[in-house]
């Protein structure tokens, strides 16, 4: 009789263990308790019969649950350590970014001073109605500017063309581009490296004067020349360093 009960209990335990093993694939958090219960039940049946199997299974499950909690605690501790390391790294990146920004400010201030010492300033070249021809007054000013730019090769120059509201939108856009091209060609002919010149045109889209404001429209027909104070190479290096730091932080 005892052998029959023992065989029955072992069969039930093994079936239960098989079912628990199947669930283990889908519920990883119960892995250790399931193993503990199954092992404890088998040992309990062998040692103390069905009642021993039940008690052994409970004890084994308790041991497995304790092991699972221990593993979970270790995982949480690892995550906390990793979070602290990431926070420290982000703080280092933030400090480095502040240093880079200060370097940028210092560079800009230094070159603004150099430009002021050499008398290099932004200027506007104004045009007559419907033309892109440079008037003698502005040609003289451009000659002075070109000589200064040649003596200060670090500076970059941005040329932006505009038009008044007279004429069609397409015509004014094309006219503003022609005006920029005229100023660019003039500076290049005077010896300014064309690689230092950037250009853009807005046509009438940024015109300020009304169509009936004859005097005001004169100021809308222009090419603005902006001398960039910061060296582009150093700016690019700083931007590259900043981008690399941010990429490292995100990873």
């Amino acid at each position: 009789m005892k052998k029959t009960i023992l065989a029955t209990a072992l069969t039930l335990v093994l079936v239960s263990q098989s079912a628990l093993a199947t669930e283990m694939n889908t519920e990883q958090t119960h892995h250790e308790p399931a193993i503990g219960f199954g092992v404890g039940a088998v040992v309990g049946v062998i040692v103390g019969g069905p009642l021993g199997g039940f008690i052994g299974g409970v004890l084994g499950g308790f041991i497995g649950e304790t092991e699972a909690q221990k593993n979970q605690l270790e995982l949480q501790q690892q995550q906390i350590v990793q979070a602290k390391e990431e926070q420290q790294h982000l703080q280092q990146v933030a400090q480095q970014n502040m240093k880079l920004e200060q370097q940028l400010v210092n560079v800009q201030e230094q070159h603004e001073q150099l430009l002021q010492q050499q008398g290099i300033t932004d200027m506007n070249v104004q045009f007559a109605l419907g033309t892109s021809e440079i008037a003698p007054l502005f040609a003289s000013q451009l000659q002075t500017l070109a000589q200064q730019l040649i003596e200060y090769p670090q500076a970059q120059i941005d040329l932006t063309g505009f038009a008044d509201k007279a004429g069609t939108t397409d015509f004014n856009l094309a006219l503003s581009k022609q005006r920029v091209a005229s100023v660019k060609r003039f500076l290049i002919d005077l010896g300014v490296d064309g690689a230092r010149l950037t250009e853009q045109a807005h046509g009438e889209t940024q015109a300020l004067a009304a169509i009936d404001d004859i005097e005001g429209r004169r100021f809308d027909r222009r090419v603005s020349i902006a001398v960039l104070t910061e060296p582009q190479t150093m700016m690019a290096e700083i931007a590259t360093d900043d981008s690399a730091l941010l990429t490292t932080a995100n990873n």
Side-chain angles (χ1 to χ4, degrees), residues 156-157 159 184 187-189 191-199:
Q156 302 290 311
I157 307 96
L159 308 176
K184 180 179 180 179
L187 291 174
I188 291 175
D189 290 344
V192 178
D193 185 1
R196 299 169 58 189
L197 305 175
T198 59
E199 53 190 295

Side-chain angles (χ1 to χ4, degrees), residues 111-125 141-142 144-146 148-149 152 155-159 187 223-229:
H111 286 274
E112 284 178 350
Q113 293 175 358
L114 289 174
L115 289 176
Q116 292 174 359
Q117 291 174 2
Q118 298 191 22
I120 303 177
T121 58
D122 299 345
M123 63 173 290
N124 288 323
V125 178
Q141 295 179 10
L142 286 174
T144 302
L145 176 63
Q148 293 170 336
L149 293 175
Y152 188 65
Q156 302 290 311
I157 307 96
D158 181 72
L159 308 176
L187 291 174
V223 170
S224 294
I225 302 176
V227 181
L228 306 182
T229 57

Side-chain angles (χ1 to χ4, degrees), residues 72-218:
Q72 184 67 21
L73 180 60
E74 291 177 352
L75 178 60
Q76 291 176 350
Q77 290 175 341
Q78 293 175 359
Q79 291 174 343
I80 291 173
V81 172
Q82 183 179 0
K84 289 182 178 180
E85 292 177 350
E86 291 179 353
Q87 183 179 8
Q88 292 176 352
H89 183 67
L90 288 174
Q91 290 176 348
Q92 293 175 354
V93 171
Q95 293 175 355
Q96 186 65 24
N97 283 342
M98 291 178 63
K99 292 180 181 179
L100 292 174
E101 290 176 359
Q102 187 59 48
Q103 291 178 11
L104 180 59
V105 171
N106 294 339
V107 168
Q108 185 171 354
E109 290 177 351
Q110 292 173 4
H111 286 274
E112 284 178 350
Q113 293 175 358
L114 289 174
L115 289 176
Q116 292 174 359
Q117 291 174 2
Q118 298 191 22
I120 303 177
T121 58
D122 299 345
M123 63 173 290
N124 288 323
V125 178
Q126 296 176 350
F127 295 85
L129 179 64
T131 71
S132 58
E133 182 179 353
I134 298 175
L137 172 64
F138 295 104
S140 176
Q141 295 179 10
L142 286 174
Q143 290 173 352
T144 302
L145 176 63
Q147 185 60 39
Q148 293 170 336
L149 293 175
I150 293 173
E151 295 175 359
Y152 188 65
Q154 297 93 333
Q156 302 290 311
I157 307 96
D158 181 72
L159 308 176
T160 306
F162 304 90
D164 61 23
K165 294 181 179 179
T168 65
T169 300
D170 292 341
F171 174 82
N172 289 331
L173 179 59
L175 182 59
S176 65
K177 291 180 180 180
Q178 293 171 7
R179 288 168 175 167
V180 170
S182 294
V183 174
K184 180 179 180 179
R185 183 169 56 252
F186 192 92
L187 291 174
I188 291 175
D189 290 344
L190 291 173
V192 178
D193 185 1
R196 299 169 58 189
L197 305 175
T198 59
E199 53 190 295
Q200 54 184 318
H202 298 289
E204 65 181 47
T205 58
Q206 297 186 19
L208 301 178
I211 189 67
D212 57 350
D213 184 1
I214 303 300
E215 183 64 20
R217 282 164 48 193
R218 179 169 64 91

